[in-house]
Amino acid sequence: MNDSRIWAALEPLHPSALEDMPMDGTWLKPPYHNDPAGRAVVCNDDDFQFVVVDRKKGSVLFVCEDDESLIASSLDTFVRIVSAWGSIDRDAPGPEDDEEFSAVRKSFESQLKVLDPPAAGPNEFWSLYTEELTSDDYVDFDDLDDDEDEEPETDTGDNDRPGADESFSVA
């Protein structure tokens, strides 16, 4: 699959719809550079995560260090998934509202199973992403109090010593 075919699918989504996608990085325009496996890098965080399009199969994959997971089986289904995700992303409460978020997540998962059953698999991108959001390890840093960001003051022990201008006498 050449760059023009990839861009034909991504251009209508660029940049706003792609920016709603739950992955860090910059969505790129052609010409696309290839990763070591010969896949087109379409989104890159300039660190260790990126999104690629397999030029032979047309599938869209999320790559994070040595792990890969399927985002979409093809560019065509990727476009439909981005659209489905965008409508949910705009309307979804955050994970802090467990009941509503769970309903929205289940709705998206149901849509995904219809749009692209392989991408809805248990160890693929969307499943891993929603699992991470709903785990107890998820912390919304915006909800933390500002006080928690400050370092506690440490007691140096100087409080008990007389100051330089103080004198004490031994009686």
Side-chain angles (χ1 to χ4, degrees), residues 113-153:
K113 287 177 184 176
V114 172
L115 292 171
D116 193 349
N123 291 316
E124 301 304 346
F125 175 81
W126 295 106
S127 175
L128 296 172
Y129 176 72
T130 56
E131 181 181 305
E132 179 181 315
L133 279 181
T134 56
S135 77
D136 290 336
D137 294 336
Y138 179 81
V139 176
D140 188 350
F141 290 101
D142 293 334
D143 290 342
L144 295 176
D145 291 333
D146 289 335
D147 296 340
E148 290 180 22
D149 293 337
E150 296 175 13
E151 290 186 32
E153 292 184 29

Side-chain angles (χ1 to χ4, degrees), residues 86-99:
S87 65
I88 285 173
D89 186 55
R90 284 185 293 280
D91 298 335
E96 62 276 357
D97 187 351
D98 291 336
E99 283 185 33

Side-chain angles (χ1 to χ4, degrees), residues 4 11 39 60 64 74-75 92 99 103 112 114 123 139 144 156:
S4 61
E11 185 178 24
R39 302 170 299 190
V60 182
C64 181
S74 71
L75 267 175
E99 283 185 33
L112 187 60
V114 172
N123 291 316
V139 176
L144 295 176
T156 62

Side-chain angles (χ1 to χ4, degrees), residues 32-112:
Y32 298 113
H33 298 285
N34 288 341
D35 72 349
R39 302 170 299 190
V41 177
V42 296
C43 180
N44 191 347
D45 79 345
D46 291 325
D47 198 6
F48 58 91
Q49 299 181 126
F50 49 99
V51 176
V52 297
V53 174
D54 186 308
R55 291 184 183 276
K56 294 177 185 170
K57 299 176 187 175
S59 57
V60 182
L61 302 152
F62 179 75
V63 180
C64 181
E65 293 180 336
D66 294 331
D67 293 327
E68 295 181 6
S69 57
L70 184 68
I71 297 174
S73 297
S74 71
L75 267 175
D76 293 334
T77 57
F78 178 73
V79 170
R80 292 192 295 267
I81 291 169
V82 169
S83 177
W85 178 260
S87 65
I88 285 173
D89 186 55
R90 284 185 293 280
D91 298 335
E96 62 276 357
D97 187 351
D98 291 336
E99 283 185 33
E100 276 188 70
F101 185 76
S102 180
V104 169
R105 184 196 66 176
K106 288 178 184 175
S107 170
F108 177 72
E109 288 172 346
S110 295
Q111 289 179 53
L112 187 60

